[in-house]
Amino acid sequence: MPTNTVSTDTILSKRIGNDRPASGWPGLSLSRMLLGFSLAVLAFMLVCAVAPQWIAPYSPTDMMTDRLLQPPSKAHLLGTDQFGRDVWSLIVYGSRQSLTMGVASVVIGGLAGTVIGLIAGYCGGVVDSLFMRINDILMTIPGILLAIAIAVALGPSFFNVILAISVASIPGKARVVRSQVLSIRSRPFVEAARAIGTPHLEIMVRHILPNCFSPLLVMMTIGVGTSILVGTGLSFLGLGVIQEIPDWGYMLSQGRSYMTVAWWISTFPGLAITLLVVVVNLIGDDLRDRLDPKKGRV
């Protein structure tokens, strides 16, 4: 009698056909292409922040009074603003402040949130209740409103803006670290370290903290984009520092009065902010997938 059999070659051909990359290029998948694009864009923006004179064709302080509000052209790729400054050069030089705000606020907020979450999760009891109730109060306030309140109270200063964004990001990071510590502190290797008389500080730093690093790293990476959005929002509202070289948020604020006659002044800084935030989030998502033990990667 004939039997319904499927050859090994047929199975392999179907498997290969199903696993073929969506991009059409051998060995490349859509996620890898997006990751490569994101890393390339981020590397270019880092070069702009570190050495803007290599990229910008003009100085950000050059005011060419005979070229006010010129549209994009060969001489000025992204046009000029109301003072005759080259918009592309302003974006390149302004990337340093925007990236510094994002990275510095995430690092400061991450360190503070890690300390709070580590102490609260490990000590438990009254200490945990006290820290978490304060944390819950802060989490009821939207991050942007909390940052605005702190920036208004401290006054306009680049450090104050970073501090405001950092404080607004602490509650979320503290809660993530605390949840990790609660699940780790009862594991056998922690109980063994405690049984042989290891000091509590050493247990927290050497045994518990390294196991909290992966989710915290992912959260901090994605948090860079959020911090940049909050920082540019503060500058847009006039709560940032008004310097000779404006950041992207202040460029948006300056250009909104000229949207009907010179749309490029605020459009291109807005696109730069969007691109940077999307790129950082894509890198954070890929990092999350790689560090997640429940997901296997080919």
Side-chain angles (χ1 to χ4, degrees):
M1 294 179 62
T3 57
N4 295 328
T5 60
V6 181
S7 65
T8 306
D9 294 338
T10 304
I11 297 175
L12 289 177
S13 63
K14 290 183 178 181
R15 183 178 296 276
I16 293 173
N18 292 335
D19 293 342
R20 183 172 298 164
S23 61
W25 292 88
L28 287 179
S29 62
L30 180 60
S31 60
R32 290 185 179 180
M33 292 181 65
L34 289 176
L35 178 61
F37 171 77
S38 301
L39 292 175
V41 172
L42 183 59
F44 177 74
M45 289 188 175
L46 288 176
V47 173
C48 292
V50 174
Q53 66 277 6
W54 295 352
I55 309 296
Y58 300 93
S59 171
T61 58
D62 288 345
M63 297 185 182
M64 295 164 279
T65 56
D66 58 333
R67 303 180 185 179
L68 302 180
L69 301 176
Q70 285 195 354
S73 61
K74 292 182 179 180
H76 303 280
L77 293 178
L78 303 183
T80 60
D81 66 359
Q82 67 275 21
F83 300 111
R85 299 175 297 182
D86 184 67
V87 174
W88 167 243
S89 300
L90 289 174
I91 292 175
V92 171
Y93 277 88
S95 62
R96 176 180 298 176
Q97 294 187 25
S98 299
L99 283 171
T100 301
M101 278 193 301
V103 175
S105 59
V106 164
V107 171
I108 296 174
L111 290 176
T114 299
V115 173
I116 294 174
L118 188 62
I119 295 175
Y122 183 81
C123 295
V126 178
V127 176
D128 183 30
S129 299
L130 177 63
F131 279 164
M132 287 302 102
R133 296 299 76 76
I134 298 175
N135 197 73
D136 291 341
I137 293 174
L138 293 177
M139 291 192 72
T140 60
I141 307 174
I144 182 64
L145 294 182
L146 183 60
I148 290 174
I150 297 173
V152 170
L154 297 179
S157 167
F158 187 65
F159 176 77
N160 290 342
V161 171
I162 294 176
L163 184 61
I165 303 173
S166 303
V167 173
S169 66
I170 288 176
K173 295 179 177 61
R175 182 165 290 278
V176 169
V177 174
R178 172 183 174 270
S179 64
Q180 291 293 314
V181 173
L182 290 176
S183 64
I184 294 171
R185 69 177 184 178
S186 59
R187 292 184 180 177
F189 65 91
V190 177
E191 295 291 345
R194 191 180 292 114
I196 62 176
T198 305
H200 294 295
L201 181 60
E202 184 177 351
I203 293 176
M204 288 190 291
V205 174
R206 292 190 58 184
H207 299 283
I208 296 180
L209 184 59
N211 291 278
C212 304
F213 183 71
S214 295
L216 182 62
L217 178 62
V218 174
M219 190 174 185
M220 291 178 65
T221 303
I222 298 177
V224 172
T226 304
S227 298
I228 292 174
L229 282 177
V230 175
T232 53
L234 293 178
S235 298
F236 180 83
L237 295 174
L239 299 176
V241 183
I242 302 176
Q243 297 181 348
E244 192 175 18
I245 303 176
D247 63 359
W248 294 345
Y250 191 65
M251 290 178 66
L252 283 173
S253 179
Q254 286 183 319
R256 62 180 174 176
S257 302
Y258 299 89
M259 281 297 296
T260 56
V261 294
W263 54 267
W264 52 88
I265 299 178
S266 57
T267 299
F268 290 118
L271 291 176
I273 295 170
T274 304
L275 180 61
L276 180 57
V277 172
V278 170
V279 160
V280 171
N281 286 340
L282 287 175
I283 295 174
D285 289 342
D286 185 84
L287 186 63
R288 178 193 58 195
D289 294 339
R290 291 177 182 273
L291 295 178
D292 189 353
K294 298 180 181 179
K295 293 184 178 181
R297 295 182 65 93
V298 180

